[in-house]
Amino acid sequence: MLPDKLMLMGIKTVLEAKVKEAVLSIFNAELPAVEFQPTRKDFEGDITVVVFPMLRVVKGNPAQIGEQIGAFLEEHVEEVSAFNVVKGFLNIVLNDSFYVDFFNGIKDEANFGSVEEVAADAVMVEYSSPNTNKPLHLGHIRNNLLGYSVAEILKASGKKVYKTQIINDRGIHICKSMLAWQKMGNGETPESTGLKGDKLVGNYYVAFDKAYKAEIAKMLSDGVDEKVATKEAPILLEAQQMLIKWEAGDDEIVSLWKKMNGWVYDGFEITYKNLGVDFDQLYYESDTYLLGKDVVADGLKKGVFFKKDDGSVWIDLTEDGLDEKIVLRSDGTAVYMTQDIGTAIQRVKDYSDIKGMVYTVGNEQDYHFKVLFLILKKLGFSWAEQLHHLSYGMVDLPSGKMKSREGTVVDADDLMVEMTNTAKKISEELGKLGEYSENEKQDLYKMVGLGALKYYILKVDPKKRILFDPEESVDFQGNTGPFIQYTYARIQSILRKAKDTGVDFNAMAEVSDNLHPKEKELIKQLQLFPDMIQLAATNFSPALIANYVYDLVKEFNSFYQQVSILGETNESKKALRVQLSKKVSEVVESGFKLLGIEVPERM
RNA sequence: GGUGGCAUAGCUCAGCUGGAUAGAGCACCUGCCUUCUAAGCAGGCGGUCCUAGGUUCGAAUCCUAGUGCCAUCACCA
């Protein structure tokens, strides 16, 4: 007998071998492979063998072939209790003992579905990576949730993971905020205004833009050409001067830069904490923006890059179907690409066990990463084969695109507060939280509100664009986070009562219990969890986990509706149902943990 | 214009390596709370899977062409 954990894998292997054996003995033909699929709900059976592909080696009527193979399996495979053939599909019915054994095998397994860490196989996941001139918005939320969740999924799939971000803390955009604050700030601070630091700095970024636009308008009315005006508005020139001073290490500018960035970091920290994401290592662009130049020099020697007459350095990717791309300016300064090359190499130096990296960045940068990865491969780094751009679609509003300058962005902090308030409103209307303290209630509202937000975003395939409808995102019914949390809370309620009434949580399920169809369906669904984690990891897709958990919960609710759990008079059956409910809630909890969503004891 | 992505019910989305009558939720209509939490369950309505070809026993899924939307094609980041 196989170890219980291997039952699922085992049954396929056993069936495959037996089907081949059947074909050999009945038709005297060698079958290269057997195709299985889960049996559709409308038919009786648990697993289905597709007969059509066999027609290549076996001549005959698919239905008849199915019948003959089915009869052979029923006779020779212990787990097969019955079969039926519809068209070319051989539906196999497995007996209860198969399911009972499987369930007994996993019911006490603590981290069911996850795989032990294989330390030699580390991957670095980069996400968030904001600019320090304005607060985080809905787009960053998608980025953070995706990156965090993929990191958790990779961990569960057996990888060692380092979570990181590169903070874009330098450049002209920060100088704009700094300059506006210098000119109009009157010494304001987060303390003096009561504003979150990132919000305060963001306000000055907006103030800069306003002043800049006003200057352009004035220049235009003075008869200046529009192109000239946008390039030569005094305040813009001043910001550019500031950047030059910063790069030269000017004391005054650098200390202002440190002060204002400090405010922003304090603000970001609050947002990250509320969002429930974290990082193992931070990289700052101010530390890395000079990296990569020596690599370019090196690559130039190797002939990977070439120099143009003006001194700029390029790579020719036309043979790979791409264009020429600049990697170093003619004045010898770095471009974005230079920096990314340098940073990637630096990371592998910092963490020698890294075998791959994941970059969570919006799909508008698809081309950039395609080029970056290609360059790193051409430079000959072995780890360059394992780079992945976790590219995701933009988040749009029903009104169209979010644009910070037009004030149509959805602020991350505001959104979280709004979702929490909605959860509070709904919860109060339902009024089920009598025994909760005020603090416990607040925690729950936040848990539910954020659960709704996170699930709403993560259930969508990352590469697809999201239409964020505030109305719909606030819906807590149907395929939503709160619906799943609710099911979890209901199970917890049953488990509390089960404990009080002395249900045996350790009893082994018995074949003689005669599994209810709904129980069987639940066990089938549970069986899929480990595979689902692996699939989500290879596809970098939290959406697969979200949809899996939803299906599991749907199945449970149906079970809950049809059969009585605590009302069951047969003690052994009752124990099975309680334990099954417990296992479902554990899988919901682990699945949601992979999405960064918490589950409540009651709601 | 070149390149890449996306296109499935009124709306928002699933659909794994090609498989049976394409599935959920929302919305709309019916039922079900003196029994484990109705944020639930059961049922109904609703589809030219963008279009046209092709490959295959079989295509929403793979290939080709076209249409639409989005992104990208800077000595910006």
Side-chain angles (χ1 to χ4, degrees):
Chain A
M1 183 91 161
L2 286 157
D4 296 320
K5 256 181 81 174
L6 297 175
M7 286 301 288
L8 178 63
M9 287 293 112
I11 193 73
K12 267 194 188 174
T13 315
V14 169
L15 285 175
E16 171 146 17
K18 288 293 177 185
V19 170
K20 284 181 180 171
E21 202 180 308
V23 171
L24 191 62
S25 80
I26 304 170
F27 307 103
N28 193 27
E30 287 271 352
L31 207 55
V34 182
E35 193 174 327
F36 292 101
Q37 60 180 273
T39 303
R40 287 183 65 109
K41 287 239 168 85
D42 335 319
F43 302 96
E44 198 201 349
D46 299 304
I47 188 163
T48 295
V49 175
V50 189
V51 180
F52 297 108
M54 300 178 189
L55 298 177
R56 295 203 181 93
V57 290
V58 181
K59 298 291 168 223
N61 176 326
Q64 273 175 14
I65 295 170
E67 287 289 344
Q68 285 171 278
I69 296 172
F72 183 93
L73 293 178
E74 190 173 3
E75 193 180 334
H76 293 91
V77 183
E78 194 189 337
E79 287 87 352
V80 175
S81 63
F83 73 94
N84 62 80
V85 180
V86 182
K87 295 182 190 170
F89 298 91
L90 167 58
N91 301 320
I92 297 168
V93 181
L94 300 173
N95 57 30
D96 281 3
S97 69
F98 169 70
Y99 291 100
V100 168
D101 289 346
F102 172 80
F103 184 67
N104 281 333
I106 62 153
K107 73 190 182 72
D108 297 317
E109 194 182 329
N111 289 311
F112 171 62
S114 299
V115 171
E116 289 287 314
E117 181 182 304
V118 184
D121 209 9
V123 56
M124 183 168 258
V125 179
E126 175 194 295
Y127 63 99
S128 200
S129 302
N131 291 336
T132 57
N133 63 323
K134 52 188 182 225
L136 304 176
H137 58 67
L138 183 51
H140 295 110
I141 288 187
R142 187 176 198 189
N143 182 306
N144 277 274
L145 296 180
L146 271 176
Y148 177 85
S149 178
V150 164
E152 292 301 311
I153 290 167
L154 288 172
K155 274 189 211 170
S157 78
K159 294 243 196 302
K160 177 165 188 177
V161 174
Y162 300 109
K163 290 181 274 191
T164 191
Q165 63 168 327
I166 180 149
I167 299 163
N168 300 304
D169 61 345
R170 62 166 287 277
I172 189 73
H173 49 286
I174 282 99
C175 290
K176 288 177 180 175
S177 292
M178 285 159 60
L179 185 63
W181 184 85
Q182 233 180 15
K183 284 177 169 307
M184 319 170 226
N186 298 317
E188 273 189 5
T189 65
E191 291 74 30
S192 76
T193 55
L195 280 175
K196 256 177 102 232
D198 53 331
K199 295 284 183 342
L200 181 71
V201 172
N203 287 348
Y204 284 101
Y205 186 69
V206 173
F208 173 93
D209 200 57
K210 235 184 200 171
Y212 172 56
K213 287 221 171 89
E215 286 186 0
I216 291 173
K218 184 162 181 302
M219 290 167 82
L220 288 179
S221 72
D222 290 347
V224 181
D225 179 72
E226 191 179 344
K227 273 186 191 157
V228 176
T230 53
K231 271 192 174 170
E232 296 183 2
I235 195 164
L236 180 66
L237 296 179
E238 225 177 315
Q240 285 165 348
Q241 280 306 307
M242 196 180 238
L243 181 60
I244 290 168
K245 278 189 181 172
W246 180 89
E247 290 194 359
D250 180 286
D251 284 345
E252 191 195 342
I253 301 301
V254 168
S255 79
L256 174 62
W257 171 76
K258 281 187 180 161
K259 178 162 75 179
M260 290 183 71
N261 271 346
W263 295 344
V264 173
Y265 299 146
D266 291 345
F268 281 174
E269 201 176 315
I270 293 169
T271 307
Y272 287 141
K273 192 158 176 289
N274 283 330
L275 202 52
V277 300
D278 55 23
F279 304 91
D280 299 309
Q281 169 72 294
L282 302 181
Y283 286 90
Y284 295 89
E285 202 186 280
S286 54
D287 294 329
T288 62
Y289 81 107
L290 296 175
L291 290 176
K293 288 193 197 181
D294 48 342
V295 183
V296 170
D298 207 41
L300 202 49
K301 256 183 249 164
K302 284 194 208 156
V304 175
F305 305 125
F306 70 94
K307 196 175 252 186
K308 287 197 176 175
D309 292 342
D310 61 7
S312 57
V313 180
W314 297 71
I315 185 164
D316 183 0
L317 298 172
T318 47
E319 277 183 17
D320 300 279
L322 304 174
D323 295 327
E324 289 184 352
K325 190 82 186 176
I326 188 161
V327 292
L328 203 63
R329 291 196 188 99
S330 53
D331 63 6
T333 56
V335 291
Y336 188 36
M337 192 62 77
T338 326
Q339 203 185 129
D340 272 2
I341 294 169
T343 305
I345 295 166
Q346 185 60 45
R347 286 172 176 176
V348 179
K349 276 186 194 155
D350 293 346
Y351 297 89
S352 57
D353 54 347
I354 290 181
K355 296 282 190 296
M357 287 187 242
V358 176
Y359 293 83
T360 314
V361 182
N363 64 8
E364 75 257 349
Q365 294 198 36
D366 284 356
Y367 186 73
H368 173 79
F369 282 99
K370 205 183 248 185
V371 172
L372 173 65
F373 296 168
L374 199 51
I375 290 176
L376 289 167
K377 273 182 207 168
K378 284 181 187 282
L379 287 171
F381 296 103
S382 61
W383 44 264
E385 303 296 327
Q386 296 299 321
L387 299 175
H388 183 256
H389 175 203
L390 174 49
S391 164
Y392 61 90
M394 295 292 102
V395 184
D396 290 332
L397 302 172
S399 53
K401 251 187 113 156
M402 286 197 290
K403 287 188 180 137
S404 33
R405 289 187 191 142
E406 291 169 23
T408 54
V409 286
V410 175
D411 180 79
D413 298 314
D414 294 350
L415 182 59
M416 286 190 276
V417 169
E418 211 173 294
M419 295 301 286
T420 303
N421 286 340
T422 305
K424 180 178 179 187
K425 195 174 140 242
I426 293 175
S427 190
E428 281 174 349
E429 278 167 13
L430 294 169
K432 294 180 186 174
L433 297 173
E435 41 198 292
Y436 261 27
S437 73
E438 203 48 45
N439 276 343
E440 287 172 317
K441 282 183 186 171
Q442 288 306 326
D443 286 350
L444 178 72
Y445 301 151
K446 197 179 155 192
M447 195 189 287
V448 174
L450 266 117
L453 175 62
K454 292 179 179 183
Y455 187 86
Y456 183 84
I457 288 173
L458 289 176
K459 76 174 175 185
V460 182
D461 184 340
K463 67 176 182 249
K464 289 195 178 171
R465 198 175 70 96
I466 286 187
L467 185 71
F468 188 85
D469 186 340
E471 298 282 318
E472 196 197 326
S473 68
V474 141
D475 206 329
F476 286 8
Q477 277 159 10
N479 190 358
T480 66
F483 162 73
I484 293 166
Q485 289 172 319
Y486 174 72
T487 304
Y488 179 88
R490 269 209 311 207
I491 296 175
Q492 296 317 302
S493 171
I494 291 172
L495 297 182
R496 282 190 295 269
K497 284 181 185 158
K499 244 175 220 155
D500 293 346
T501 53
V503 172
D504 186 356
F505 281 78
N506 296 315
M508 290 307 237
E510 300 290 342
V511 178
S512 58
D513 289 341
N514 253 338
L515 289 181
H516 186 281
K518 290 287 173 188
E519 293 168 346
K520 213 164 155 181
E521 284 305 319
L522 274 180
I523 296 175
K524 272 194 212 174
Q525 192 67 20
L526 288 174
Q527 283 181 329
L528 299 175
F529 190 45
D531 291 345
M532 203 50 76
I533 290 179
Q534 294 303 322
L535 195 63
T538 50
N539 288 315
F540 302 95
S541 176
L544 292 175
I545 299 291
N547 287 306
Y548 165 78
V549 174
Y550 175 67
D551 288 340
L552 175 65
V553 160
K554 277 295 272 182
E555 201 62 57
F556 179 82
N557 280 332
S558 179
F559 161 75
Y560 175 90
Q561 170 70 26
Q562 268 194 40
V563 301
S564 182
I565 298 166
L566 297 174
E568 172 57 49
T569 46
N570 178 320
E571 285 302 320
S572 171
K573 279 191 188 181
K574 190 204 276 189
L576 169 63
R577 286 177 187 171
V578 168
Q579 291 177 33
L580 193 51
S581 304
K582 179 164 176 261
K583 200 68 210 173
V584 168
S585 78
E586 284 171 10
V587 169
V588 168
E589 186 179 11
S590 334
F592 259 33
K593 193 158 177 250
L594 298 177
L595 304 179
I597 305 176
E598 294 177 289
V599 286
E601 290 305 303
R602 42 191 114 216
M603 70 184 273

